[in-house]
Amino acid sequence: MLAMNYRGPYRVRAQYKSDPTIEHPGDAIIRVTRSCICGSDLHLYHGMVPDTRVGHTFGHEFIGIIEDVGSEVTTLKVGDRVLVPFNIFCGSCFFCQKELYGNCHNANPQSTAVGSIYGYSHTAGGYDGGQAEYVRVPMADVAPIKIPDDIHDDDAVLLTDALPTGYQAAEMGDIEEGDTVVVFGAGPVGIFAAKSAWLFGAGRVIVVDELDYRLEFVKNYAQCEVVNFKEVGDMALHIKKMTDWLGADVCIDAVGCDAAGSVAQTVTGRLMKMQAGAATVLHWCINSVRKGGNVSIVGVYGPTFNAVPIGNALNKGITMRMNQASVKRHVPRLIEHIRAGHIDPKAIITHRIPLEEVADAYHIFSSKLDNCIKPILIPPRAYETTRPVTNSVSEE
């Protein structure tokens, strides 16, 4: 089959490899019809995630058609159209019983901290991902969700990670009616976090980024105020000026370890790797939120340490919440929001790119070229079952 193949930092290519097979009676094989490149895939692409091995196939946002099932799979059958949450989980351990699917105790037993994620390095279990024609889905009775007939493929693929993660970012902010919410990062997750903040009752939403085209997009999509941090001297001071010197009620980190905005953080975190990526946005969140406010973190950081101003967090009485999204918990509610017209996930898709051109797709997304917001990859056989795509790289 054709699959994305990681060759080292900033080097990926489309390459043929063996088809996945049923390895356990609980497995399913899915023929992929859509996969996304996530902003967190760029952390892998940039060499920021430990134990990312040559030959690994990325891709934790994908949907497809069930091609084969193991003998113990009872809830799915060949031909079912399914979306697959990015978390791999057993559904029965202590954490899964609490719907903390990103913290499953069994899917990645070699790690004490990190759960298991498709296509996200051996730190996250070593499972190949869905930027391929086929993918093996373990414990298939637990996570995959049949896609309702009235849900478009382009909406469904964004329900596998980006939208639930943005939604959970707002949920973890514990937003109260009328709150001012600041979202750092205008990528897909930040865009969905801003949109979701209104659903939780925010009275004011401000999004911070450095790219004008992204800020223009989120201003229109999420009806929010925007700030370009390159035009601001001190980020925390600027947010305080905008909020009558109190600070924001809620700050959301939707950026993670690849953040720009601080030379010291970039050198120590991204270049010298003396900490688990740049903690720039963590500093901004802690210093911009008001005393007693809430900080929600969904941006990805490595499993080692970051230097953060924990003393400021303590003395301000801040509540900090963070986790990988429990995708399956959120999907039913988000489908209701899509059907009600409250949110249109597919509107953020700017590029549909054949899997054969995956190297170009990563370059475009990583370099922020062509006003790219969200690229999706279309495997060759997907053309047989989905609407035709006429342009190799198309902007909507």
Side-chain angles (χ1 to χ4, degrees), residues 2 18 203 244 349:
L2 191 67
S18 299
D244 294 331
I349 296 171

Side-chain angles (χ1 to χ4, degrees), residues 28-345:
I29 303 298
I30 290 181
R31 177 164 56 84
V32 178
T33 54
R34 291 278 191 286
S35 63
C36 297
I37 301 177
C38 178
S40 55
D41 286 330
L42 297 182
H43 305 323
L44 297 165
Y45 180 67
H46 295 160
M48 300 294 295
V49 179
D51 207 3
T52 303
R53 301 184 187 179
V54 169
H56 195 49
T57 295
F58 301 169
H60 54 271
E61 295 178 284
F62 62 89
I63 63 168
I65 308 294
I66 298 292
E67 188 82 2
D68 194 9
V69 295
S71 59
E72 293 183 0
V73 175
T74 60
T75 60
L76 301 174
K77 65 181 186 307
V78 172
D80 283 344
R81 175 171 161 259
V82 295
L83 69 87
V84 183
F86 75 87
N87 328 103
I88 302 172
F89 56 95
C90 71
S92 58
C93 72
F94 174 85
F95 302 102
C96 288
Q97 289 297 303
K98 294 179 178 296
E99 296 186 315
L100 296 169
Y101 302 123
N103 310 111
C104 177
H105 206 47
N106 293 322
N108 188 14
Q110 301 301 314
S111 173
T112 57
V114 184
S116 193
I117 301 171
Y118 292 97
Y120 212 77
S121 84
H122 280 65
T123 302
Y127 297 88
D128 269 338
Q131 291 170 8
E133 290 185 276
Y134 298 94
V135 61
R136 182 177 76 92
V137 173
M139 295 173 274
D141 266 340
V142 181
I145 300 167
K146 294 178 184 177
I147 302 172
D149 290 342
D150 60 336
I151 298 300
H152 193 283
D153 278 355
D154 289 349
D155 287 328
V157 75
L158 291 167
L159 285 167
T160 61
D161 177 7
L163 176 53
T165 297
Y167 186 81
Q168 183 166 315
E171 180 192 65
M172 290 193 299
D174 199 16
I175 298 167
E176 296 184 357
E177 193 77 22
D179 273 355
T180 294
V181 178
V182 176
V183 180
F184 291 97
V189 169
I191 291 168
F192 286 138
K195 190 75 174 179
S196 299
W198 295 115
L199 300 176
F200 283 92
R204 186 182 185 191
V205 179
I206 303 166
V207 176
V208 178
D209 202 284
E210 63 173 327
L211 298 169
D212 287 333
Y213 81 87
R214 284 190 168 191
L215 291 171
E216 185 65 22
F217 182 92
V218 72
K219 184 170 67 174
N220 294 323
Y221 183 84
Q223 300 82 44
C224 58
E225 300 168 59
V226 297
V227 175
N228 187 326
F229 69 74
K230 292 172 71 175
E231 300 172 357
V232 171
D234 183 309
M235 194 67 244
L237 186 64
H238 187 79
I239 293 298
K240 288 178 180 175
K241 283 181 181 177
M242 295 180 71
T243 53
D244 294 331
W245 298 101
L246 289 178
D249 299 296
V250 178
C251 284
I252 294 173
D253 176 358
V255 179
C257 62
D258 255 337
S262 164
V263 173
Q265 289 290 336
T266 297
V267 171
T268 60
R270 296 171 59 186
L271 300 180
M272 300 180 69
K273 296 183 173 53
M274 295 173 63
Q275 53 176 327
T280 309
V281 174
L282 294 176
H283 283 253
W284 287 348
C285 284
I286 291 171
N287 293 327
S288 300
V289 76
R290 67 165 168 78
K291 296 173 185 175
N294 299 323
V295 171
S296 170
I297 304 169
V298 292
V300 172
Y301 294 88
T304 54
F305 72 94
N306 283 94
V308 298
I310 196 67
N312 288 358
L314 167 68
N315 287 304
K316 293 174 72 173
I318 294 169
T319 297
M320 300 179 70
R321 295 187 65 192
M322 62 211 82
N323 205 348
Q324 300 282 356
S326 291
V327 172
K328 188 159 187 173
R329 179 168 67 85
H330 297 299
V331 166
R333 181 64 176 144
L334 290 170
I335 286 177
E336 290 179 11
H337 281 308
I338 293 170
R339 286 173 170 157
H342 298 155
I343 193 162
D344 179 12

